[in-house]
Amino acid sequence: MTDWVPSEALGRRVLCGTEYATVRYVGSVPPTAGIWLGVEWDDPQRGKHDGTYEGTQYFKCRHPRGGSFIRPNKANFGVDFLTAIKNRYGLNEERDAQHGTENTLVFGKKTVEFVGMDSIAEQQSQLNQLVDISVCECAVSHAGQKEEISRTCANIRHINLSKNLISSWETVTAIASEVQNLETLNVSGNKMKFPSTSTSVSSVFSKLRVLALNQTGITWAEVLLCAPGWPRLEELYLTSNNIMVLERPGNILQTLKLLDLSDNQLLDGNQLHLIAHLPRLEQLILRNSGIASIDFPDAGFGCKTKMFPSLKHLAINDNKISQWSSINELDKLPSLRSLQCHNNPFMDTEKNPETLRQLIIAKISQLEVLNKSEIPPAERKGAELDYRKIFGNDWLAAGGNWNPEKNNPSEEFLAAHPRYPSLCLKYGAPEEGELKAQEPLTLKNQLLTLTIKCPEKPEQKPVQKKLPDSMTIQRVKGLLYRLLKIPGSELKLSYESSKLEGKEVELDNDLKPLQFYSIENGDCVLVRW
């Protein structure tokens, strides 16, 4: 690197050692001699000032100590796309001359070793087979000579350009314009300038399906300006861009199936209404997005919203949702099947994680996966029956009644428990006996008297044991290991009950307590190994 400064250096991205920065000033800084670059560091801890020196402000920084002056020979302005590929895949002819000709290439998902590639023509032939290119952190800053990429790498479909020195969307377009079949593009970690006005729609990204623009500084308004050029886009990743406000997309992004807005502090939950009519959106990821509440005001209790008609998977982890009413609202989504909601304040209202899970399952009727764990039919049924029982007395106090003609629960109750009427239709209203206050729990009335049998080992006589109903299956297996002298890990447990007409129920989850399976006094536990 020398004191040479490229034309249009202002706004360019540079690398100084391992630190990234943006050039904000090029020129002299009296009383010193020579040319200086005023840079704003990505990491403000690297800087010394805000662009002011000896009382003169040469440039501005977002952070009061985010700027420095450096000599041009300290700044790496990067390389063109094709040079980065040759360096990355060991096809740089200058380096080959120095270090021999053994090379390893990646074609799609295959790694192939080539020996004796001493011909440039042969090297270019191998470049032409590359389908999946990764030049992450390779200091790419520009496209290079026109048509050189298309002539050399005609079969590229997937490009990872993350964490480079690209400073404008124009550069990305220049590279993509020479890749006819581009399907996947990751330009995350490049702080770029995007178009501020609508541009003519070209066919550059006509086949693009997946686009990652994480940590690029893009706004939602800029997304909408660029989006007409992405007619087939299915997945869009926009994490960590300081996006606060959204706008209605209009007739663009209509093919989008996945949208990730994680780590953007949205102004409020109502921002979601502005993207609620994307017709094919199946997955919405909103981790750590500052959301405090969710509501769909177009639908009443027990009705489905017209918003997010295709949404199947929703991630709202690490937000500020404190009220159960937001979870109630999620039942209005007509297609919701999977929810992630860890680390929200509403979860602190219930100390028992198992009870918390059951409450969420009971409140959202079509949910099949909760926090990456499947919900089997038996778990759903148990959760809904328990919910119907737990809130039965509240239902009665609010005007609920076993007689349909007198059943008129208050609006307040329905707002807190909108699924309760449908659960009563599904299972019947809770019976009076179910809702009577239970006796205080004592160790005596928590103990279950169970018969332990080994149906495949007739020589083992049945044994009666008294076990707490809170005992987990894992601990039961440990007890049986000591009792029967066999390894607990090999045991398969099930139980029979007189109420089940000879059917067996598998005790298949080591972490669940006996009470989870509705085991009662006098039931028989069957042990196999």
Side-chain angles (χ1 to χ4, degrees):
M1 289 178 283
T2 67
D3 282 338
W4 171 81
V5 178
S7 60
E8 300 179 2
L10 277 179
R12 287 277 296 269
R13 299 280 290 159
V14 293
L15 194 57
C16 185
T18 59
E19 299 288 340
Y20 290 85
T22 303
V23 178
R24 300 297 186 200
Y25 173 78
V26 180
S28 60
V29 182
T32 61
I35 299 297
W36 291 90
L37 301 180
V39 299
E40 181 178 7
W41 300 101
D42 288 9
D43 177 7
Q45 301 301 317
R46 178 72 172 76
K48 297 179 179 179
H49 50 68
D50 64 353
T52 301
Y53 179 72
E54 297 287 336
T56 301
Q57 186 163 42
Y58 293 90
F59 61 96
K60 293 182 179 179
C61 291
R62 293 179 185 176
H63 193 278
R65 294 183 59 83
S68 294
F69 289 105
I70 62 172
R71 291 295 190 182
N73 65 350
K74 297 292 186 183
N76 179 358
F77 281 91
V79 298
D80 65 83
F81 179 66
L82 201 54
T83 297
I85 290 176
K86 290 177 179 178
N87 290 339
R88 170 67 177 81
Y89 293 95
L91 290 174
N92 187 305
E93 50 265 27
E94 293 179 11
R95 198 165 67 183
D96 288 347
Q98 296 173 6
H99 301 289
T101 55
E102 290 190 3
N103 300 282
T104 300
L105 287 174
V106 178
F107 301 142
K109 294 183 179 178
K110 296 181 179 178
T111 301
V112 184
E113 186 175 297
F114 293 86
V115 180
M117 291 173 59
D118 50 5
S119 157
I120 293 176
E122 190 176 356
Q123 290 181 2
Q124 289 181 338
S125 170
Q126 304 308 332
L127 276 175
N128 219 11
Q129 295 181 48
L130 289 171
V131 173
D132 193 335
I133 292 280
S134 176
V135 283
C136 174
E137 294 187 281
C138 289
V140 178
S141 62
H142 55 289
Q145 287 185 346
K146 198 170 183 180
E147 298 183 3
E148 191 177 9
I149 298 171
S150 58
R151 194 166 52 245
T152 312
C153 303
N155 291 304
I156 297 175
R157 291 179 181 270
H158 313 283
I159 300 177
N160 181 354
L161 266 168
S162 59
K163 295 183 181 177
N164 277 288
L165 300 177
I166 296 170
S167 54
S168 74
W169 181 248
E170 192 178 326
T171 300
V172 177
T173 304
I175 294 171
S177 66
E178 299 193 37
V179 184
Q180 290 187 353
N181 297 308
L182 186 61
E183 296 177 16
T184 305
L185 177 61
N186 182 357
V187 289
S188 301
N190 291 281
K191 293 194 174 181
M192 286 186 274
K193 284 185 179 178
F194 291 88
S196 56
T197 57
S198 58
T199 55
S200 57
V201 178
S202 71
S203 60
V204 170
F205 299 103
S206 61
K207 297 182 180 179
L208 192 67
R209 295 184 301 102
V210 180
L211 176 60
L213 292 166
N214 305 322
Q215 293 180 297
T216 56
I218 195 169
T219 66
W220 183 252
E222 289 166 344
V223 169
L224 299 187
L225 286 172
C226 295
W230 311 330
R232 296 186 185 180
L233 195 66
E234 295 180 4
E235 298 182 15
L236 180 58
Y237 299 86
L238 297 169
T239 70
S240 305
N241 280 312
N242 295 319
I243 294 172
M244 296 181 67
V245 292
L246 303 177
E247 299 173 36
R248 294 184 189 280
N251 291 322
I252 51 180
L253 297 176
Q254 298 298 290
T255 56
L256 204 62
K257 293 182 179 179
L258 181 152
L259 177 60
D260 189 349
L261 287 166
S262 299
D263 299 309
N264 292 290
Q265 297 303 300
L266 297 177
L267 195 60
D268 53 48
N270 292 332
Q271 296 299 313
L272 301 183
H273 299 166
L274 299 171
I275 56 170
H277 297 286
L278 292 169
R280 299 185 187 179
L281 189 66
E282 296 180 1
Q283 187 167 355
L284 181 59
I285 307 171
L286 298 167
R287 297 188 187 94
N288 186 31
S289 54
I291 294 174
S293 65
I294 297 173
D295 76 311
F296 304 109
D298 66 319
F301 304 137
C303 300
K304 298 299 181 185
T305 177
K306 292 181 179 179
M307 300 186 191
F308 297 106
S310 303
L311 190 65
K312 294 179 181 179
H313 311 283
L314 177 63
I316 50 173
N317 318 35
D318 305 303
N319 276 292
K320 301 174 183 177
I321 298 170
S322 58
Q323 301 297 320
W324 279 96
S325 57
S326 290
I327 303 303
N328 292 336
E329 289 289 303
L330 297 180
D331 187 51
K332 295 179 180 180
L333 292 168
S335 303
L336 187 65
R337 297 293 182 271
S338 170
L339 175 67
Q340 293 180 46
C341 58
H342 278 309
N343 299 330
N344 277 284
F346 81 88
M347 302 187 76
D348 298 334
T349 61
E350 176 54 58
K351 293 181 180 179
N352 186 325
E354 191 59 48
T355 302
L356 181 70
R357 179 177 168 86
Q358 288 190 317
L359 287 172
I360 297 171
I361 292 170
K363 283 178 175 289
I364 306 176
S365 59
Q366 298 172 104
L367 210 58
E368 296 173 356
V369 179
L370 176 58
N371 292 325
K372 298 184 179 181
S373 174
E374 282 193 33
I375 304 168
E379 184 180 15
R380 169 160 292 286
K381 183 176 181 180
E384 291 178 341
L385 285 170
D386 282 352
Y387 189 92
R388 166 181 155 277
K389 180 178 177 180
I390 290 168
F391 296 102
N393 284 320
D394 293 346
W395 171 69
L396 288 173
N401 198 290
W402 293 286
N403 183 342
E405 294 179 2
K406 296 180 181 180
N407 181 34
N408 187 25
S410 67
E411 290 286 310
E412 186 181 7
F413 178 83
L414 291 175
H417 308 284
R419 277 210 75 211
Y420 203 87
S422 63
L423 292 178
C424 288
L425 285 173
K426 187 174 182 178
Y427 300 107
E431 296 178 11
E432 192 172 0
E434 288 182 82
L435 304 181
K436 285 183 178 178
Q438 296 183 352
E439 296 176 20
L441 289 175
T442 64
L443 182 59
K444 183 178 180 180
N445 61 34
Q446 286 183 82
L447 288 175
L448 300 173
T449 301
L450 303 175
T451 301
I452 311 294
K453 286 185 182 178
C454 304
E456 295 174 358
K457 305 284 183 182
E459 68 275 12
Q460 285 275 6
K461 292 182 180 180
V463 179
Q464 274 201 345
K465 294 298 269 185
K466 290 187 177 182
L467 304 176
D469 63 0
S470 60
M471 194 174 195
T472 63
I473 303 304
Q474 191 170 27
R475 288 181 59 204
V476 173
K477 285 182 177 180
L479 173 72
L480 294 173
Y481 163 66
R482 295 189 295 274
L483 188 69
L484 305 174
K485 310 295 185 193
I486 49 176
S489 59
E490 296 179 13
L491 294 182
K492 292 182 180 178
L493 305 186
S494 59
Y495 83 94
E496 290 178 330
S497 171
S498 58
K499 295 182 180 179
L500 296 175
E501 301 177 358
K503 293 182 181 178
E504 284 187 38
V505 177
E506 283 189 40
L507 305 177
D508 54 1
N509 189 330
D510 284 357
L511 302 179
K512 299 290 185 185
L514 290 168
Q515 62 193 7
F516 174 78
Y517 293 97
S518 303
I519 295 179
E520 297 179 356
N521 265 324
D523 287 347
C524 181
V525 174
L526 304 175
V527 186
R528 294 180 175 88
W529 64 91

